[in-house]
Amino acid sequence: MTSSYSHDVLVIGSGAAGLTLALRLADKARIAVICKGELNQGSTYYAQGGIAAVLDEQDTVDDHVTDTLAAGADLCHGDTVRFTVANSRESIEWLVSQGVEFSRYPNEDGFHLTREGGHSHRRIIHAADATGRAVSEALTNQALQQSNIEVFQRHVAVDLVVRQGRCVGAYVYDRESEHVRLFRAKFVVLASGGASKAYLYTSNPDGASGDGIAMAWRAGCRVANMEFNQFHPTCLYHPKAKSFLITEAIRGEGGKLLLPNGQRFMHRYDERGELAPRDIVARAIDHEMKRLGSDCVYLDISHRSPDFILHHFPTVKARCLELGIDITREPIPVVPAAHYTCGGVMVDHSGQTDVGNLFAIGETSFTGLHGANRMASNSLLECIVFGRSAADAIGQRLAEPMADIAIADWDESQVTDSDEDVVISHNWDELRRFMWDYVGIVRTNKRLQRALHRVELLQQEIREYYSNYKVSNDLIELRNLAMVSELIIRSAMERRESRGLHYTLDYPETLAEARDTILEPRRKA
């Protein structure tokens, strides 16, 4: 049985960002792509809305930039926003060349564009209400045809290997054999998504446990703006509807948010009503639910024709119908849920981190694009743009030799199989619940202090457990989630104002000067 592997590029994650990079390099490098489960189980696959891009003649790069800056509450990096938006059309054209079939206007040549919260134009290109699935399937099909791309399914990265200031590989847990192997590489790319699984309620699939962010932090990378967790305003509220998102495009096409008594309420919070940015909508729903003691609010699109709903929202219609909800006749019960990690590992426009030869792209990274609140459908765009730019940067350096450094195989001779896995499940539940209660949509100093105290105790237990027992998928994820949760809590404590997604009752005002929250780990000798 092989104990180690060697490639030019190791990509940790198989979503839009990771596969974009792999495909851009497939003709010139030997690439390993590892994913926790099957290839199509990441967040990309479940993205419904679409991809924001300047494609319409009435739209401009300047308008898209302006909208993004406004949604980001003055915290976006202007140069990054312009870099991303300026590359939006080319990125969409590349996706089309890879076989992504976007929705078109009936009987017309052009692509159908919709509008979402915060956008001043129709600029969301989509594949009905399953854009992520269309992108994921197309890129996966392309990747599987490339002889230079080797895919390792059901593999989980444990930690990065850093020697002499640069990343030279990673230790990876094989869920089938239950052994850890060394993956050596000239370049390592973190494309493992965000950390919304830190919260009790989330729209994300099970793998969103902040692995890339935690590994990069342990390897010596700075992280930024981890306090900005986007809560999607509308996830389906139903006991059997685990993590099912109700796309923002429903509000873009006239969907109305209603109280249990049928009254609209968003106009009391923002003149844009249902099309206000997500942070405003999520806080409004959270406030109304707490004010009324209600379990949910409702989203109603039933005033549109059944044919319109079936054509534009087939996935939402079908899923709701499975649960006995006919969205052509009745409103959808919805609640906010953790959805997107706006902060992450600090990178430049090529995805390069603080550690040599280590790149981070997609939701794992902090590029400065999203600021204090990600504007709808900018995330998949960021994945494609930075997947391409990181691939180009790596491509220019592929001739560099592999580091001639001795790296020991993973040593599990001093650990045993655990007979106390209840510790993992208990800590997991406790972590996600106090993060939801204390570090959620509305925060206070007292809540954050309580959360910090609890996460420090949990990490102490986890470190002891990790030292004595063999690793498992659940233990790896718990260790990473606890680490990322601490980063979120500490970042939230540093920001003494309310801005965008970070709202605190102790500092309700927004400061005049917008600054990033940057945390820096202690450097390893």
Side-chain angles (χ1 to χ4, degrees):
M1 187 177 289
T2 305
S3 60
S4 64
Y5 297 92
S6 181
H7 295 81
D8 294 316
V9 183
L10 170 62
V11 182
I12 300 173
S14 61
L19 290 183
T20 294
L21 179 138
L23 287 169
R24 290 280 285 184
L25 290 171
D27 62 342
K28 62 185 76 168
R30 293 175 302 105
I31 302 162
V33 175
I34 69 168
C35 53
K36 284 180 164 181
E38 309 304 314
L39 267 175
N40 284 329
Q41 288 185 349
S43 293
T44 294
Y45 185 85
Y46 296 96
Q48 293 179 8
I51 306 173
V54 179
L55 302 169
D56 187 82
E57 291 181 2
Q58 306 301 316
D59 198 6
T60 67
V61 168
D62 284 344
D63 285 346
H64 191 166
V65 168
T66 298
D67 292 345
T68 301
L69 293 174
D74 298 322
L75 204 60
C76 302
H77 295 192
D79 59 337
T80 298
V81 176
R82 186 161 293 277
F83 171 77
T84 307
V85 173
N87 282 285
S88 63
R89 178 183 288 271
E90 189 177 339
S91 295
I92 297 301
E93 291 170 349
W94 180 79
L95 285 174
V96 172
S97 76
Q98 299 300 306
V100 181
E101 295 186 5
F102 293 107
S103 297
R104 296 179 178 271
Y105 288 101
N107 305 316
E108 293 185 36
D109 293 332
F111 292 111
H112 180 269
L113 303 176
T114 190
R115 184 180 171 192
E116 294 179 345
H119 292 274
S120 59
H121 294 274
R122 283 182 171 264
R123 65 166 67 101
I124 314 302
I125 188 169
H126 61 101
D129 62 347
T131 307
R133 184 171 69 194
V135 170
S136 182
E137 288 179 347
L139 297 186
T140 294
N141 289 338
Q142 291 287 347
L144 291 176
Q145 295 175 36
Q146 305 295 325
S147 59
N148 265 357
I149 298 178
E150 191 173 1
V151 177
F152 295 84
Q153 300 186 92
R154 295 184 60 78
H155 280 66
V156 186
V158 181
D159 262 322
L160 301 171
V161 181
V162 178
R163 299 289 186 272
Q164 299 172 9
R166 61 174 168 165
C167 190
V168 293
Y171 290 113
V172 178
Y173 174 70
D174 180 347
R175 295 175 65 180
E176 298 293 341
S177 70
E178 299 185 352
H179 288 292
V180 176
R181 295 190 176 87
L182 171 64
F183 279 66
R184 297 186 65 129
K186 292 181 184 178
F187 302 93
V188 177
V189 182
L190 298 170
S192 52
S196 288
K197 203 177 175 183
Y199 288 93
L200 186 61
Y201 302 110
T202 175
S203 65
N204 286 197
D206 282 344
S209 49
D211 303 322
I213 298 170
M215 287 189 293
W217 174 262
R218 289 194 294 265
C221 293
R222 292 171 299 162
V223 299
N225 289 4
M226 290 297 295
E227 69 270 34
F228 296 116
N229 310 98
Q230 187 173 71
F231 291 83
H232 197 287
T234 55
C235 280
L236 181 60
Y237 178 73
H238 192 281
K240 296 181 180 177
K242 181 181 179 182
S243 302
F244 188 76
L245 178 71
I246 303 297
T247 174
E248 185 155 346
I250 285 184
R251 285 180 284 130
E253 296 295 346
K256 302 169 184 175
L257 283 166
L258 308 175
L259 297 175
N261 64 4
Q263 288 184 347
R264 296 178 72 178
F265 59 90
M266 274 309 305
H267 62 280
R268 301 203 297 266
Y269 294 90
D270 193 283
E271 62 184 11
R272 291 164 290 188
E274 281 81 0
L275 287 176
R278 289 176 175 176
D279 59 324
I280 295 172
V281 180
R283 265 201 310 279
I285 294 173
D286 182 69
H287 179 79
E288 291 295 335
M289 286 171 57
K290 287 175 178 171
R291 181 178 71 85
L292 297 170
S294 173
D295 290 331
C296 64
V297 296
Y298 294 86
L299 178 62
D300 191 12
I301 191 69
S302 63
H303 56 281
R304 302 301 299 259
S305 74
D307 285 345
F308 177 91
I309 293 171
L310 178 61
H311 179 72
H312 286 272
F313 309 114
T315 306
V316 174
K317 183 178 185 298
R319 181 63 177 133
C320 286
L321 209 53
E322 288 174 5
L323 300 168
I325 304 165
D326 183 354
I327 69 172
T328 67
R329 296 172 177 268
E330 59 188 316
I332 308 164
V334 294
V335 292
H339 182 60
Y340 192 86
T341 306
C342 287
V345 184
M346 293 187 72
V347 297
D348 62 16
H349 287 182
S350 296
Q352 173 69 59
T353 70
D354 293 331
V355 173
N357 293 22
L358 176 65
F359 291 74
I361 52 178
E363 194 175 353
T364 302
S365 69
F366 168 78
T367 63
L369 173 63
H370 305 304
N373 183 22
R374 176 180 72 91
M375 190 166 69
S377 291
N378 270 351
S379 53
L380 282 176
L381 175 62
E382 181 185 43
C383 288
I384 309 305
V385 169
F386 281 84
R388 285 160 58 89
S389 66
D392 293 345
I394 291 171
Q396 294 172 7
R397 297 176 52 199
L398 280 171
E400 295 178 8
M402 179 83 79
D404 185 19
I405 299 171
I407 307 172
D409 287 336
W410 184 262
D411 181 11
E412 55 182 36
S413 62
Q414 304 300 311
V415 295
T416 61
D417 290 315
S418 168
D419 59 356
E420 288 290 329
D421 282 355
V422 66
V423 175
I424 297 177
S425 59
H426 176 85
N427 287 356
W428 187 282
D429 292 341
E430 183 182 348
L431 174 71
R432 297 179 76 196
R433 187 166 293 280
F434 74 63
M435 285 296 291
W436 182 262
D437 290 340
Y438 298 153
V439 201
I441 295 173
V442 177
R443 300 162 177 173
T444 67
N445 287 346
K446 187 174 287 187
R447 291 175 190 171
L448 293 175
Q449 287 286 357
R450 286 174 177 160
L452 182 62
H453 176 66
R454 280 162 173 74
V455 83
E456 287 175 338
L457 290 175
L458 273 185
Q459 285 193 296
Q460 202 172 327
E461 283 189 19
I462 293 166
R463 277 192 295 270
E464 182 180 341
Y465 195 94
Y466 183 80
S467 300
N468 291 303
Y469 298 109
K470 290 181 179 178
V471 297
S472 65
N473 180 68
D474 287 349
L475 177 56
I476 293 166
E477 288 191 338
L478 175 62
R479 178 181 180 232
N480 290 332
L481 271 181
M483 182 75 264
V484 172
S485 295
E486 182 186 341
L487 297 176
I488 293 170
I489 296 163
R490 290 191 182 280
S491 296
M493 294 175 79
E494 294 252 341
R495 186 166 293 280
R496 300 190 175 188
E497 63 167 347
S498 289
R499 183 183 297 273
L501 300 166
H502 174 74
Y503 185 79
T504 168
L505 296 177
D506 291 301
Y507 307 103
E509 303 301 319
T510 301
L511 297 177
E513 183 180 3
R515 290 186 178 182
D516 292 326
T517 304
I518 299 173
L519 302 182
E520 186 166 345
R522 280 175 282 184
R523 295 288 175 181
K524 295 182 180 180

